Amino acid sequence: MPWRHSRANRRPLRRAGAVLFAILLAGSLPAPAQAQPEAASCQDVTIPVWLDALLPQLVHGTLCAPPQGARTVQVLVPGATYNNVYWDAALAPETRSFRLAMNKAGYATLALDRLGTGASSKPPSALLTAFTEADVVHQVIQAIRHGDVGPRFDKVILGGHSLGSAIAVLEAGTYHDVDGVLITGLAHHINPPGALIIFGSFIPVALDPKLSRLGLDPTYLTTQPGTRYTAFHAPGPDVPEMTAYDEASKDVVAPGELLDAAALGTVLPYSWRITVPVLVVLGGGDAGLCGPLATDCTSSEGLLRSEAPYYSAAARLRTYVLPGYGHSINYAPNAPNYHRAVTQWAGTMGLSG
């Protein structure tokens, strides 16, 4: 803050005494509180899209931007049984909110609800696959490019988690309309024992005590109550409040989305078709992906060796392993380390906010 200078005193002795008094007084008083940075501004947005070019639908998202504005927006797609809450946890947000960390770093964020989840339209689950969701995300990105969703941005980073990462890979490898791709919780090798734990947690939504009341198509899936920690967070610390929060905010997934995501992790070539910078981030203890015969998650260098064959040189692939946590790394107690890895990668690749 600028200081106003007082008029010079004509009496040097009096001025010196005043200065000495001010110094002594300052030493006896607490320092003034540091000014806190202004909070990001957030707004709910609704984007009209077409499903299979036939059915009009609405995609809901939360658009947040730092007070000084941003050149780059990160479009964030959640994974199976998650919605946009995954990117902006209200429990210990200084640690667990990816959205908050990115806004503080100067990026705008648009965290989406996939079709079928959150406040987005809920079509019959049979109409939803990772491919149809990728086309919907493409329509959202086009709306952003045209300035139909808030301000215009110079660059778009498409980020995903798990199934959301599969959707991001399909979108970026098909439409080539983004400037960078952030992939979390997805790799090209699956660890069968751990994957069975995750897939074994799914039940029809009609069997869930809470979500069954929403009147959804009964063929949607969710996770069995009490399985969130084992499926998504182990071997990270089992924090009861965090597990309860994850259970309370869980959502649904269509069976076709899961089938596409599993196929992408083994045979589909869309990652090779990505021609913009890519960062892959995994939890070091992600049981569904990591293992001696699966993905090397022992280090960031090991992950790079595992994933490099599936990306072209144009992707300029970078990797990061967040040690000690499982699949849903946004909820890790050391998530700020991963946040820094994302912002450093984006800056290195010329994608700064």
Side-chain angles (χ1 to χ4, degrees):
M1 294 177 60
W3 291 91
R4 296 180 60 188
H5 295 283
S6 60
R7 184 180 304 167
N9 197 305
R10 292 190 179 91
R11 300 180 180 178
L13 185 60
R14 181 179 298 176
R15 181 175 58 189
V19 170
L20 178 60
F21 178 75
I23 293 172
L24 293 174
L25 181 63
S28 66
L29 295 177
Q34 294 275 335
Q36 295 299 314
E38 295 181 59
S41 59
C42 295
Q43 59 179 318
D44 289 328
V45 296
T46 302
I47 306 156
V49 296
W50 292 88
L51 180 58
D52 286 333
L54 296 172
L55 298 176
Q57 305 284 297
L58 295 174
V59 171
H60 168 266
T62 302
L63 176 65
C64 298
Q68 71 273 18
R71 294 175 49 247
T72 302
V73 62
Q74 298 184 13
V75 178
L76 305 171
V77 187
T81 73
Y82 285 99
N83 51 42
N84 81 85
V85 170
Y86 175 74
W87 299 103
D88 192 17
L91 185 64
E94 291 292 333
T95 298
R96 298 187 174 102
S97 174
F98 182 90
R99 186 279 303 171
L100 180 61
M102 294 303 109
N103 292 162
K104 285 185 173 182
Y107 296 87
T109 55
L110 176 59
L112 300 178
D113 291 326
R114 300 184 335 275
L115 287 184
T117 69
S120 290
S121 297
K122 297 173 176 60
S125 74
L127 299 179
L128 296 180
T129 67
F131 288 93
T132 58
E133 294 276 24
D135 179 68
V136 165
V137 172
H138 167 61
Q139 294 175 61
V140 170
I141 291 170
Q142 291 304 298
I144 292 172
R145 294 287 195 189
H146 295 151
D148 297 332
V149 185
R152 288 182 179 273
F153 298 96
D154 295 338
K155 297 183 185 297
V156 177
I157 297 173
L158 179 56
H161 171 248
S162 193
L163 167 62
S165 288
I167 293 167
V169 168
L170 290 172
E171 199 284 338
T174 301
Y175 300 104
H176 304 285
D177 59 354
V178 297
D179 301 286
V181 181
L182 169 64
I183 296 169
T184 71
L186 184 73
H188 286 79
H189 297 280
I190 292 175
N191 185 39
L196 286 175
I197 293 174
I198 295 175
F199 281 93
S201 69
F202 291 117
I203 58 173
V205 69
L207 300 181
D208 185 80
K210 184 185 73 170
L211 297 181
S212 61
R213 305 172 194 161
L214 300 181
L216 295 170
D217 174 351
T219 60
Y220 278 107
L221 302 174
T222 190
T223 53
Q224 184 176 347
T227 62
R228 301 295 284 191
Y229 170 74
T230 301
F232 298 129
H233 304 284
D238 187 359
V239 180
E241 295 83 1
M242 187 66 256
T243 305
Y245 178 85
D246 193 22
E247 179 71 35
S249 59
K250 73 180 182 182
D251 216 300
V252 301
V253 62
E257 294 178 286
L258 293 177
L259 292 174
D260 283 348
L264 178 68
T266 53
V267 297
L268 294 181
Y270 288 88
S271 60
W272 184 261
R273 300 176 184 173
I274 298 176
T275 56
V276 294
V278 175
L279 174 65
V280 175
V281 182
L282 292 184
D286 191 331
L289 298 169
C290 303
L293 301 179
T295 307
D296 183 354
C297 302
T298 59
S299 67
S300 300
E301 294 76 16
L303 178 57
L304 182 61
R305 288 191 296 270
S306 288
E307 286 295 289
Y310 302 97
Y311 293 90
S312 72
R316 301 165 66 187
L317 180 65
R318 301 291 186 271
T319 56
Y320 180 77
V321 171
L322 184 70
Y325 211 77
H327 191 59
S328 296
I329 56 174
N330 279 13
Y331 294 155
N334 54 344
N337 296 334
Y338 135 60
H339 301 159
R340 283 190 290 272
V342 172
T343 56
Q344 289 170 2
W345 161 77
T348 300
M349 298 299 166
L351 304 172
S352 297

